[in-house]
Amino acid sequence: MQDADWLAVREIYGEGIATGNATFQTEAPQWPEWDADHLRHSRLIAQGGGTAGGWAALSAVSRRACYAGVAEVSIYIAAAHRGQGLGRRLLAALIDRSEAHGIWTLQAGIFPENAASLALHERLGFRQVGVRERIAQRDGIWRDTVLLERRSKVVGI
């Protein structure tokens, strides 16, 4: 992903936000905020039919040095490209990229209603760690998230 891809990334992010089951965010941030919140080494964009079909990126879970190898996954697929295997290819590439940069644990917090995302992560080696009940509100409604993690088999063993 290049800085110039931001408009396409933001559009896809907006589609995910609109579903109500992808994020607690209610609007996409501006570029400087998004850029500051995501690791530069693990930002991917996938093309589908000549257009941006999805994106994936990692965020640090902590600034503490002991957690330098732990990152949170964000993955969004454009509505027109869902159900075509693009998410699987994109998440697999993100896992490879994360390990190439010394990440030993990936985590994801997913709404229980987002069955497709839960299934995707589990197919690629994530396991459910637990449920965070009423962890935050979206549109004034308390929501749960399922916490998943994937431990690298090559980094940190």
Side-chain angles (χ1 to χ4, degrees):
M1 181 188 302
Q2 303 297 316
D3 295 356
D5 293 321
W6 172 242
L7 291 178
V9 167
R10 186 175 177 171
E11 183 177 329
I12 294 166
Y13 194 26
E15 288 181 5
I17 290 169
T19 69
N21 286 323
T23 179
F24 283 104
Q25 294 292 111
T26 56
E27 59 183 53
Q30 296 299 315
W31 169 248
E33 180 184 351
W34 191 93
D35 183 44
D37 287 345
H38 293 85
L39 301 174
R40 289 198 74 61
H41 62 68
S42 295
R43 302 174 178 187
L44 304 174
I45 190 162
Q47 299 295 317
T51 63
W55 62 269
L58 296 179
S59 303
V61 299
S62 175
R63 292 183 181 168
R64 293 175 59 194
C66 61
Y67 294 112
V70 183
E72 184 169 0
V73 172
S74 293
I75 182 167
Y76 289 82
I77 305 302
H81 297 280
R82 293 181 192 145
Q84 300 173 12
L86 188 62
R88 184 176 188 9
R89 293 189 302 274
L90 193 53
L91 186 55
L94 187 67
I95 290 167
D96 289 345
R97 177 67 65 95
S98 74
E99 290 178 335
H101 286 89
I103 304 295
W104 59 80
T105 300
L106 294 175
Q107 68 181 39
I110 301 172
F111 290 127
E113 297 83 3
N114 194 340
S117 187
L118 289 169
L120 169 64
H121 283 77
E122 289 175 351
R123 277 194 307 272
L124 289 172
F126 286 74
R127 67 178 181 91
Q128 290 190 19
V129 177
V131 174
R132 294 171 157 177
E133 296 178 357
R134 297 172 43 95
I135 189 72
Q137 290 186 20
R138 161 109 195 224
D139 300 322
I141 300 169
W142 286 102
R143 301 287 301 268
D144 298 346
T145 58
V146 178
L147 180 62
L148 297 103
E149 74 173 15
R150 182 188 185 280
R151 298 291 178 108
S152 174
K153 292 180 174 50
V154 297
V155 178
I157 55 171

